[in-house]
Amino acid sequence: MRLVARCLRGIEWICAAELAAAGAHVEAVEHRLVECRAAPGPALLGAGTVDDLFLLGLRLTGAGRQRTALAEVRAQVERLEAGPLLAAVEAVRPLPADAPFEVVASFLGRRNYSRFEIERAAGEGLERALGRRFVPGPLGADEHPPLSWRVHLYDEGGFLGLRLAAAPLHRRPYKLDSLAGTLHPPLARAAAALGGVAPGDRVLDPFCGAGTMLLEAGGEQPAARLVGADIAAGAVRSAGANAERAGVRAALLVADAGRLPLADGAAGVVLTNPPWSRRLAPAGSLAGGLEPFWREAARVTAGRVVVVLEELEDQAEPIAAAGLEPVVLQRVAVSGAWTTLGLLAPAGRRRAELARLAALGLRPMSGAAPA
Ligand SMILES: C[S@@+](CC[C@H](N)C(=O)[O-])C[C@H]1O[C@@H](n2cnc3c(N)ncnc32)[C@H](O)[C@@H]1O
């Protein structure tokens, strides 16, 4: 079947590689979208870099900026043959015969109509096509019906899709403990993918917060040994609670990332999301800047350091001084703000690292890697 995966802007190439590794045949990679053909099943539902996954119902045409697009959407949706889509959903989760549905719409570019008008037009069309009840939005967190359709319009067209899982894939059941600045799990999974965590690797997150990076590394490589540290005891408790819910073992300690109580080369990979100056100030030995952390990161691993950090580009000097060099610097948009996903390696290893990524089907988008 044809599917459309939505992901964060900037990690489309990592998401495409993950879907391909899960057996999908990737057909197109676009702004926040990866289109593929695959048998919809557990392998795809385990794709950790995907925000949301839809069975492709229709490609919509004639849906430009003018309000006539609404009637076009409604008319095209009315003609949907939904049987195979509903059967594919039922193959992965129970679906009551009379389950109502919602429609969530989004679009790129300026339009003379709103997202809610698209939802209503598509919802009315789908009511006719499905003979099921449409629940118009906006809906509260606990009010979402079991069937969720997505309309996304861009340029003069778009698509209609049906969510395969019961909830968006980015929502992780383990993540009930959270804190300010906590990471979006699919971005943490993308970091783990870049890190190339191997079985038995010790993965260290010295700013572990609620543990997202570690738990996603565990999802990517269940045989990894996870070690997390944070200067805040409350954060370490949150990470512990999330790890327990995820059924993942992680060694967690309260420590300052500028003075880690770990031996040289103790970690195979460092995956982390340091605090950044504008919203979350680094504490302890890092109150004056992240320099001690870069030195510690280079000391405790002979391998790779993958970081998610706003304005990572501004850290070029201390990163170089620590003996590390950027292999990939990928700008990523999260909730309307830009951050950078960076893969750093010991100086001189850039080519080898790019070859390692290529062997995994990970080819940075143009502009992702520094010159
Ligand atoms: C951006 S948050 C990490 C969020 C985490 N990735 C998550 O998903 O929840 C940064 C973390 O760094 C911690 N921190 C600040 N200064 C630190 C230091 N010197 N050493 C270790 N942790 C520190 C904060 O307590 C906070 O939990």
Side-chain angles (χ1 to χ4, degrees):
M1 293 190 83
R2 289 193 123 103
L3 293 106
V4 181
R6 271 177 71 81
C7 65
L8 291 178
R9 175 78 189 120
I11 65 165
E12 294 92 342
W13 56 285
I14 305 175
C15 184
E18 185 183 27
L19 290 169
H25 176 68
V26 173
E27 294 187 326
V29 180
E30 295 173 39
H31 178 101
R32 296 200 60 192
L33 296 177
V34 179
E35 290 190 31
C36 60
R37 278 181 190 275
L44 287 190
L45 292 176
T49 60
V50 174
D51 270 357
D52 217 347
L53 184 65
F54 302 98
L55 300 160
L56 181 62
L58 287 176
R59 279 186 200 290
L60 301 164
T61 55
R65 179 175 177 171
Q66 305 306 328
R67 292 184 62 79
T68 50
L70 295 170
E72 274 297 334
V73 167
R74 182 188 163 131
Q76 289 170 44
V77 165
E78 253 177 41
R79 294 195 292 271
L80 175 74
E81 288 290 336
L85 303 179
L86 295 170
V89 170
E90 275 190 291
V92 298
R93 61 185 170 102
L95 193 60
D98 58 351
F101 69 89
E102 67 174 354
V103 179
V104 176
S106 53
F107 56 83
L108 293 180
R110 289 177 69 85
R111 309 264 155 176
N112 293 343
Y113 45 86
S114 73
R115 162 193 156 188
F116 300 109
E117 289 176 292
I118 306 172
E119 290 173 0
R120 187 164 289 276
E124 288 169 2
L126 280 166
E127 262 186 340
R128 291 181 71 105
L130 304 173
R132 291 174 186 252
R133 186 168 61 84
F134 168 46
V135 186
L139 301 172
D142 299 327
E143 295 168 354
H144 292 280
L147 282 173
S148 184
W149 295 87
R150 180 75 179 223
V151 177
H152 180 61
L153 302 183
Y154 51 101
D155 301 329
E156 295 287 311
F159 72 84
L160 168 76
L162 174 61
R163 179 180 287 145
L164 184 58
L169 295 188
H170 67 77
R171 213 170 282 157
R172 306 292 205 251
Y174 71 74
K175 200 161 173 181
L176 298 183
D177 281 61
S178 196
L179 45 76
T182 198
L183 206 51
H184 187 62
L187 180 52
R189 186 65 75 95
L194 282 190
V197 183
D201 264 358
R202 184 171 283 128
V203 177
L204 169 69
D205 182 353
F207 301 100
C208 71
T212 322
M213 197 67 110
L214 289 175
L215 300 181
E216 293 302 318
E220 175 86 3
Q221 177 46 263
R225 294 176 293 163
L226 309 176
V227 182
D230 199 288
I231 202 164
V236 170
R237 277 195 298 277
S238 296
N242 284 335
E244 203 172 313
R245 264 188 297 275
V248 165
R249 285 181 55 175
L252 299 168
L253 58 142
V254 176
D256 185 321
R259 290 190 286 255
L260 289 167
L262 298 171
D264 294 2
V269 189
V270 171
L271 300 181
T272 198
N273 169 217
W276 57 92
S277 53
R278 268 189 290 157
R279 283 164 57 195
L280 271 180
S285 71
L286 307 179
L290 290 175
E291 288 80 357
F293 158 65
W294 297 119
R295 282 198 298 275
E296 279 297 79
R299 181 183 70 77
V300 297
T301 177
R304 296 174 277 278
V305 178
V306 184
V307 283
V308 175
L309 181 61
E310 263 183 45
E311 289 156 15
L312 174 60
E313 295 79 357
D314 293 351
Q315 299 286 321
E317 265 183 40
I319 287 174
L324 296 169
E325 78 173 321
V327 178
V328 174
L329 293 177
Q330 173 63 62
R331 304 275 283 156
V332 182
V334 191
S335 309
W338 287 97
T339 189
T340 300
L341 169 62
L343 165 63
L344 315 174
R349 288 203 44 84
R350 184 165 179 269
R351 261 171 190 277
E353 280 295 303
L354 286 172
R356 175 185 67 81
L357 294 181
L360 296 170
L362 287 163
R363 290 171 207 288
M365 294 198 300
S366 59

